[in-house]
């Protein structure tokens, strides 16, 4: 297989959620990555939206890299169809390896694990540990409440507009992925992130 044109880290739920739009968005993301010669880096599970985005990427000809802690191999049903499946010992190792292998980050609907992963990599960006673009796919208004709270945080003086400007948001998967990949740049070298944990 040829070297992937880009690598996108996708954070999303290990559950499917209660709206079919979430699964359709995960399929669209995976399909776009695969059809454009890209690589998916994700949490390594085959349940929920995680499994959906991985399978869609694989079926569209993309490369799939999964990273999963040993403790979650059974719980999240480790995806043995990944091109690379890394089984690590801790969540810190998981997140650092996912970040190192990616040119950009994208959060789909998910729960507290998804939120935590997005906020950590966003924090790393604002602190200058990496310069990779971040995206939030707001499927069917799922993140409307979060965006309202984040804007409240800015209005309350705990965040700056520049921090909000680091996070690209869109309801259109293809438009958001295009923005992230273009902003990552074709020649961006991976930045090691192990030093921040």
């Amino acid at each position: 297989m040829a070297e992937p044109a880009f690598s996108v880290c996708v954070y999303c739920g290990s559950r499917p959620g209660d709206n079919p739009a979430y699964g359709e968005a995960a399929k669209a993301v995976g399909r776009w990555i695969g059809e454009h010669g890209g690589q998916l880096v994700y949490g390594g599970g085959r349940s929920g939206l995680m499994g959906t985005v991985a399978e869609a990427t694989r079926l569209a000809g993309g490369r799939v890299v999964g990273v999963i802690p040993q403790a979650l191999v059974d719980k999240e049903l480790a995806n043995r169809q990944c091109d690379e499946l890394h089984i690590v010992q801790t969540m810190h190792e998981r997140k650092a390896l996912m970040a190192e292998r990616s040119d950009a980050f994208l959060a789909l609907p998910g729960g507290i694990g998804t939120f935590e992963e997005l906020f950590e990599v966003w924090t790393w960006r604002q602190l200058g540990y990496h310069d990779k673009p971040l995206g939030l796919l707001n499927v069917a208004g799922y993140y409307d409440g979060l965006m309202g709270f984040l804007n409240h945080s800015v209005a309350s003086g705990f965040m700056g507009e520049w921090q909000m400007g680091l996070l690209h948001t869109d309801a259109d998967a293809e438009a958001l992925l295009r923005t992230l990949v273009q902003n990552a740049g074709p020649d961006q070298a991976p930045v090691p992130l192990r030093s921040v944990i």
Side-chain angles (χ1 to χ4, degrees):
M1 181 179 283
E3 188 71 17
F6 57 85
S7 186
V8 177
C9 179
V10 173
Y11 304 125
C12 59
S14 60
R15 299 179 181 184
D18 63 359
N19 186 334
Y22 305 147
E24 289 305 312
K27 285 180 190 172
V29 167
R31 193 164 48 241
W32 192 93
I33 292 171
E35 288 175 352
H36 290 82
Q39 173 173 273
L40 168 71
V41 177
Y42 86 118
R46 58 185 174 90
S47 60
L49 297 187
M50 292 173 69
T52 300
V53 71
E55 183 66 1
T57 302
R58 188 181 70 81
L59 291 175
R63 201 163 188 285
V64 178
V65 176
V67 185
I68 190 167
Q70 182 67 58
L72 295 180
V73 166
D74 295 328
K75 188 175 184 180
E76 291 185 357
L77 304 174
N79 184 359
R80 304 289 179 179
Q81 291 191 308
C82 293
D83 295 286
E84 293 179 40
L85 180 63
H86 299 271
I87 299 176
V88 297
Q89 294 307 305
T90 69
M91 286 295 289
H92 289 299
E93 288 178 84
R94 179 194 215 181
K95 292 183 292 182
L97 183 55
M98 289 168 71
E100 286 175 13
R101 296 294 302 271
S102 304
D103 302 317
F105 306 94
L106 174 63
L108 275 60
I112 58 174
T114 301
F115 308 153
E116 189 267 343
E117 289 169 320
L118 172 66
F119 276 90
E120 183 170 69
V121 81
W122 191 3
T123 302
W124 290 353
R125 173 71 193 267
Q126 73 157 5
L127 294 173
Y129 287 114
H130 71 84
D131 192 28
K132 301 175 183 182
L134 315 163
L136 185 68
L137 186 60
N138 191 12
V139 182
Y142 180 75
Y143 283 116
D144 286 352
L146 176 62
M147 295 307 298
F149 177 74
L150 289 169
N151 286 317
H152 172 66
S153 183
V154 172
S156 299
F158 289 101
M159 286 177 62
E161 291 286 356
W162 71 272
Q163 290 163 302
M164 290 295 291
L166 298 175
L167 184 67
H168 300 275
T169 60
D170 206 315
D172 183 317
E174 293 190 10
L176 184 53
L177 282 160
R178 251 192 321 272
T179 296
L180 295 176
V181 170
Q182 286 170 354
N183 287 352
D187 301 317
Q188 178 154 350
V191 177
L193 294 174
R194 291 192 192 278
S195 60
V196 303
I197 55 176

